[in-house]
Short mmCIF file of all heavy atoms in Angstrom, two decimals:
data_model
loop_
_atom_site.label_atom_id
_atom_site.label_comp_id
_atom_site.label_asym_id
_atom_site.label_seq_id
_atom_site.Cartn_x
_atom_site.Cartn_y
_atom_site.Cartn_z
N TYR D 6 -0.56 14.46 -1.34
CA TYR D 6 -1.38 15.57 -1.26
C TYR D 6 -0.60 16.73 -2.05
O TYR D 6 0.49 16.95 -1.85
CB TYR D 6 -1.64 15.98 0.18
CG TYR D 6 -2.28 15.01 0.91
CD1 TYR D 6 -1.51 14.05 1.67
CD2 TYR D 6 -3.63 14.77 0.97
CE1 TYR D 6 -2.09 13.03 2.38
CE2 TYR D 6 -4.25 13.72 1.74
CZ TYR D 6 -3.36 12.82 2.39
OH TYR D 6 -4.00 11.79 3.10
N ALA D 11 -2.06 20.72 0.87
CA ALA D 11 -1.24 20.79 2.09
C ALA D 11 -1.34 22.29 2.66
O ALA D 11 -1.52 22.38 3.96
CB ALA D 11 0.22 20.47 1.87
N VAL D 19 0.53 28.94 -0.26
CA VAL D 19 1.41 28.04 -1.02
C VAL D 19 2.83 28.46 -1.14
O VAL D 19 3.74 27.65 -1.07
CB VAL D 19 0.81 27.82 -2.37
CG1 VAL D 19 1.70 27.00 -3.28
CG2 VAL D 19 -0.59 27.12 -2.30
N LEU D 31 11.74 21.38 4.65
CA LEU D 31 10.96 20.16 4.37
C LEU D 31 11.78 19.13 3.45
O LEU D 31 12.57 19.61 2.70
CB LEU D 31 9.60 20.48 3.79
CG LEU D 31 8.66 21.40 4.49
CD1 LEU D 31 7.41 21.72 3.56
CD2 LEU D 31 8.23 20.75 5.76
N ASN D 39 4.92 20.17 -12.75
CA ASN D 39 5.26 21.43 -11.98
C ASN D 39 4.68 21.38 -10.61
O ASN D 39 4.85 22.28 -9.78
CB ASN D 39 4.94 22.66 -12.74
CG ASN D 39 5.87 22.91 -13.87
OD1 ASN D 39 6.92 22.50 -13.85
ND2 ASN D 39 5.29 23.56 -14.86
N VAL D 40 3.83 20.40 -10.20
CA VAL D 40 3.07 20.31 -8.90
C VAL D 40 3.88 19.53 -7.90
O VAL D 40 4.41 18.37 -8.26
CB VAL D 40 1.74 19.75 -9.16
CG1 VAL D 40 0.93 19.77 -7.75
CG2 VAL D 40 0.87 20.60 -10.09
N ARG D 45 2.69 11.60 3.94
CA ARG D 45 2.45 11.80 5.33
C ARG D 45 3.73 12.25 6.14
O ARG D 45 3.70 13.01 7.05
CB ARG D 45 1.89 10.47 5.93
CG ARG D 45 0.80 10.72 6.88
CD ARG D 45 0.09 9.44 7.15
NE ARG D 45 -0.85 9.57 8.29
CZ ARG D 45 -1.87 10.43 8.36
NH1 ARG D 45 -2.00 11.36 7.57
NH2 ARG D 45 -2.52 10.40 9.44
N LEU D 48 4.23 15.92 5.65
CA LEU D 48 3.17 16.61 6.38
C LEU D 48 3.47 16.59 7.87
O LEU D 48 3.25 17.65 8.48
CB LEU D 48 1.77 16.11 6.04
CG LEU D 48 1.33 16.23 4.66
CD1 LEU D 48 -0.07 15.59 4.46
CD2 LEU D 48 1.27 17.81 4.20
N ARG D 49 4.03 15.52 8.31
CA ARG D 49 4.45 15.46 9.78
C ARG D 49 5.60 16.40 10.05
O ARG D 49 5.55 17.13 10.99
CB ARG D 49 4.84 13.96 10.12
CG ARG D 49 4.78 13.80 11.54
CD ARG D 49 4.87 12.23 11.98
NE ARG D 49 5.40 11.37 10.98
CZ ARG D 49 4.84 10.49 10.15
NH1 ARG D 49 3.52 10.34 10.33
NH2 ARG D 49 5.29 9.71 9.26
N LEU D 53 5.64 19.91 12.43
CA LEU D 53 6.73 20.12 13.44
C LEU D 53 7.27 21.49 13.22
O LEU D 53 7.47 22.36 14.12
CB LEU D 53 7.84 19.03 13.41
CG LEU D 53 8.99 19.41 14.25
CD1 LEU D 53 8.52 19.37 15.68
CD2 LEU D 53 10.02 18.23 14.01
N LEU D 57 7.19 24.69 15.88
CA LEU D 57 8.51 25.39 16.29
C LEU D 57 8.57 26.78 15.93
O LEU D 57 8.82 27.70 16.61
CB LEU D 57 9.62 24.47 15.89
CG LEU D 57 9.80 23.12 16.41
CD1 LEU D 57 11.00 22.42 15.77
CD2 LEU D 57 10.06 23.15 17.92
N SER D 64 13.85 30.25 15.57
CA SER D 64 13.92 30.98 14.34
C SER D 64 13.80 29.88 13.23
O SER D 64 13.92 28.69 13.49
CB SER D 64 15.29 31.63 14.13
OG SER D 64 16.30 30.63 14.12
N ASP D 74 17.76 15.96 8.74
CA ASP D 74 18.11 14.61 8.88
C ASP D 74 19.63 14.49 9.14
O ASP D 74 20.12 13.66 9.84
CB ASP D 74 17.73 13.79 7.66
CG ASP D 74 16.23 13.68 7.56
OD1 ASP D 74 15.51 13.66 8.63
OD2 ASP D 74 15.73 13.61 6.49
N ALA D 104 6.36 43.71 32.04
CA ALA D 104 5.26 44.43 31.35
C ALA D 104 3.93 44.35 32.15
O ALA D 104 3.18 45.29 32.39
CB ALA D 104 5.04 44.23 29.92
N GLU D 109 -0.27 46.44 35.81
CA GLU D 109 -1.02 46.27 37.07
C GLU D 109 -0.74 47.51 38.04
O GLU D 109 -1.66 47.95 38.63
CB GLU D 109 -0.60 44.97 37.65
CG GLU D 109 -1.19 43.74 36.91
CD GLU D 109 -0.68 42.45 37.49
OE1 GLU D 109 0.39 42.48 38.29
OE2 GLU D 109 -1.19 41.37 36.99
N ASP D 118 -4.48 60.20 35.84
CA ASP D 118 -3.85 59.76 34.52
C ASP D 118 -2.54 59.11 34.88
O ASP D 118 -1.46 59.83 34.84
CB ASP D 118 -3.65 60.99 33.59
CG ASP D 118 -3.21 60.61 32.22
OD1 ASP D 118 -2.91 59.37 32.06
OD2 ASP D 118 -2.98 61.49 31.43
N PRO D 125 6.50 57.30 40.59
CA PRO D 125 7.47 56.18 40.40
C PRO D 125 7.71 55.82 38.98
O PRO D 125 8.90 55.52 38.66
CB PRO D 125 6.84 55.06 41.16
CG PRO D 125 5.83 55.68 42.19
CD PRO D 125 5.37 56.92 41.42
N ARG D 127 7.54 57.85 36.39
CA ARG D 127 8.37 58.89 35.83
C ARG D 127 9.86 58.69 36.23
O ARG D 127 10.72 58.85 35.44
CB ARG D 127 7.80 60.24 36.22
CG ARG D 127 6.55 60.54 35.56
CD ARG D 127 6.02 61.83 35.94
NE ARG D 127 6.88 62.92 35.57
CZ ARG D 127 6.45 63.85 34.72
NH1 ARG D 127 5.23 63.89 34.22
NH2 ARG D 127 7.34 64.82 34.32
N GLY D 146 26.69 57.82 17.47
CA GLY D 146 25.42 58.01 18.28
C GLY D 146 24.62 56.83 18.37
O GLY D 146 23.59 56.75 18.85
N PRO D 154 18.99 45.73 26.47
CA PRO D 154 18.47 44.70 27.27
C PRO D 154 18.18 45.10 28.72
O PRO D 154 17.28 44.84 29.32
CB PRO D 154 19.41 43.52 27.25
CG PRO D 154 20.20 43.78 26.04
CD PRO D 154 20.29 45.22 25.88
N VAL D 156 17.48 48.18 29.73
CA VAL D 156 16.33 48.99 29.70
C VAL D 156 15.07 48.21 29.59
O VAL D 156 14.04 48.46 30.24
CB VAL D 156 16.43 50.11 28.51
CG1 VAL D 156 15.16 50.89 28.40
CG2 VAL D 156 17.60 51.07 28.76
#
Side-chain angles (χ1 to χ4, degrees):
Y6 303 89
V19 171
L31 297 176
N39 288 334
V40 180
R45 224 162 163 60
L48 295 179
R49 201 171 16 256
L53 178 61
L57 295 173
S64 69
D74 294 328
E109 288 170 348
D118 186 359
R127 291 175 66 113
V156 171

